[in-house]
Amino acid sequence: MSGPEDRARRTISEAPADLLLDRLGAELERSYAITRTELYQVDYRLSVLLPLHDAEPISGPGHPAWRCFDHQEPIVTEGTGWFPVGMRGERRGVLRVSPVPDDPAALRELDAIATALGHELSAVMASTDVYLTARRSRRLTLAAEMQWELLPGRSRIRPSFSLAGQLEPAYAVRGDGFDWSDNGHRLWLSVINGSGEGVAASMLTSLATHALRNARRAELGLADQAALADQAIYALHRGGQHLSVLLLELHLASGTMTVVDAGSPRLVRLRDGEVSEQVLEKQFPLGMFEGTDYQEQQFQLRRGDRLFVVSDGVIDATGGQIRYGETALDRFLRRTGPMEPLDAVRSLIGDLRAFVAGDLVDDAVVVCLDWLGPQP
């Protein structure tokens, strides 16, 4: 006979896409005598946890919900349990249940159920807008809607690497973006520093992203991926529009990084507490000229290295008449050493918002990659 955890998993896997939480709540009440169940999703800015139903948003960093989200571990306080909801390193939010059972085995089961909920949310996201609508604190611009739909997620964890990225201004981003994929042997990462305004900028980034994916899935090398995307953009715009992109391919067995720098964002390395810019061979942005011949270069990562890719919207952010600049950026990146990549990215974006006293004017993209070393 199946236990309560198995019944809860089966309940959410069989529930209608828009009723995952309702059906789960009813099952938790039957199995664990839990009378209140709520899902809090992190918003697009990574700054507030928003409830799916009628509850107050949670923004205070010291709240148990945020401690659960930040540390990715269950938090139990005053009869309420908070459990991380996510999938393969992608943090979606937290599940709140009360009254929480006073039983360590039940807490482990609820933790597993929250993870199963994260997987189901990913599975149904394309078939219902319920969860996407609930995780925004205000309306996205059309360009931002298009950009967020392009992303592979905001964080990814494998035994040999940990990865995270964020766009800002989250609700009005236009052309900046990133993409990644891995097959267990290699990790591919592209970071785009877009150009243009509004929907036109997001359409240009969309074209570049899909061209790069098409070339990657055809198993072309990094230079040929850049060349195909370059040709696609040039064929449509004849040099009138172009964009900068950094392409990276990490060999997971050796830590060898292959790079194509097409007028790219800045690549910074944090090693043993010291920040240095990785010197790259600058090449033409995608779509600027017809038939550009792109060249690959390589460098070696050490176990424990952290890489940041930041667009010019980070460095050029302005508070009053003062530019954020490379010095402030390097100083802040040095402080992120103990943080997980998503926390490091969120902290940097938060520091930028504090510096400019509000939302950024120009698009900014930040991606953080930790190389944890070859794994069996």
Side-chain angles (χ1 to χ4, degrees):
M1 185 175 180
S2 63
E5 180 185 336
D6 293 327
R7 291 196 298 272
R9 286 174 177 270
R10 187 167 59 251
T11 294
I12 55 179
S13 68
E14 296 175 353
D18 59 316
L19 296 177
L20 296 182
L21 189 66
D22 301 74
R23 297 293 171 84
L24 175 60
E27 179 57 38
L28 294 184
E29 185 169 7
R30 282 191 295 268
S31 298
Y32 298 97
I34 289 169
T35 58
R36 297 185 62 192
T37 302
E38 181 59 280
L39 171 67
Y40 289 81
Q41 298 180 99
V42 70
D43 84 316
Y44 287 85
R45 295 183 74 192
L46 294 170
S47 62
V48 60
L49 291 166
L50 297 171
L52 184 62
H53 294 141
D54 296 327
E56 289 297 317
I58 301 172
S59 56
H63 194 281
W66 275 113
R67 286 192 280 131
C68 172
F69 182 85
D70 290 338
H71 299 291
Q72 289 295 284
E73 60 185 29
I75 299 292
V76 177
T77 177
E78 298 180 352
T80 298
W82 305 87
F83 299 88
V85 175
M87 184 196 71
R88 302 182 187 275
E90 174 71 7
R91 303 187 204 174
R92 295 197 174 277
V94 297
L95 181 69
R96 186 200 70 192
V97 299
S98 63
V100 67
D102 186 18
D103 176 10
L107 294 180
R108 288 191 296 270
E109 292 171 359
L110 290 169
D111 190 24
I113 291 167
T115 299
L117 176 61
H119 282 258
E120 289 300 326
L121 286 170
S122 298
V124 305
M125 206 64 78
S127 62
T128 179
D129 289 337
V130 168
Y131 308 103
L132 290 171
T133 301
R135 60 175 281 218
R136 52 192 72 185
S137 59
R138 61 178 184 263
R139 183 175 177 177
L140 289 172
T141 65
L142 175 55
E145 189 86 50
M146 295 168 68
Q147 287 302 95
W148 283 105
E149 288 294 315
L150 276 179
L151 299 187
R154 275 196 291 209
S155 52
R156 180 90 167 98
I157 296 176
R158 290 293 300 264
S160 54
F161 69 84
S162 185
L163 180 62
Q166 176 65 5
L167 305 179
E168 185 70 19
Y171 288 88
V173 68
R174 299 174 292 274
D176 284 6
F178 55 84
D179 192 28
W180 59 59
S181 178
D182 76 274
N183 65 0
H185 303 286
R186 297 178 187 274
L187 165 68
W188 292 271
L189 169 64
S190 61
V191 182
I192 293 175
N193 189 9
S195 63
E197 297 292 333
V199 172
S202 64
M203 291 177 66
L204 183 62
T205 297
S206 178
L207 173 60
T209 299
H210 284 100
L212 290 169
R213 287 175 178 171
N214 178 253
R216 184 184 73 220
R217 292 164 184 170
E219 299 185 329
L220 301 183
L222 216 58
D224 290 334
Q225 292 177 30
L228 188 147
D230 173 66
Q231 292 165 15
I233 296 171
Y234 187 85
L236 185 62
H237 297 290
R238 313 304 297 179
Q241 293 190 47
H242 49 79
L243 48 72
S244 301
V245 62
L246 179 65
L247 299 178
L248 303 101
E249 180 183 308
L250 176 60
H251 190 268
L252 299 179
S254 65
T256 300
M257 182 72 82
T258 304
V259 181
V260 171
D261 179 354
S264 74
R266 188 173 184 234
L267 179 62
V268 180
R269 184 189 68 207
L270 179 62
R271 174 181 289 173
D272 298 329
E274 294 300 320
V275 175
S276 61
E277 183 167 3
Q278 180 67 47
V279 178
L280 301 174
E281 179 185 345
K282 301 293 183 184
Q283 301 175 69
F284 291 125
L286 301 184
M288 180 173 281
F289 300 108
E290 185 175 14
T292 301
D293 183 21
Y294 291 96
Q295 303 297 317
E296 299 174 358
Q297 65 181 109
Q298 291 185 335
F299 59 89
Q300 188 66 36
L301 293 182
R302 297 181 192 170
R303 188 187 298 268
D305 278 355
R306 166 169 286 181
L307 296 179
F308 281 96
V309 187
V310 296
S311 67
D312 55 13
V314 175
I315 299 169
D316 294 336
T318 304
Q321 301 298 316
I322 303 173
R323 179 172 169 266
Y324 193 74
E326 289 88 348
T327 301
L329 174 64
D330 292 353
R331 186 186 307 117
F332 191 87
L333 295 185
R334 197 174 294 115
R335 292 162 47 191
T336 68
M339 303 178 187
E340 293 295 320
L342 184 63
D343 299 322
V345 166
R346 183 162 57 121
S347 295
L348 175 56
I349 293 293
D351 191 60
L352 283 171
R353 285 200 295 259
F355 179 78
V356 303
D359 285 340
L360 273 65
V361 175
D362 191 16
D363 279 9
V365 58
V366 180
V367 174
C368 177
L369 168 64
D370 280 357
W371 167 238
L372 308 176
Q375 302 294 323

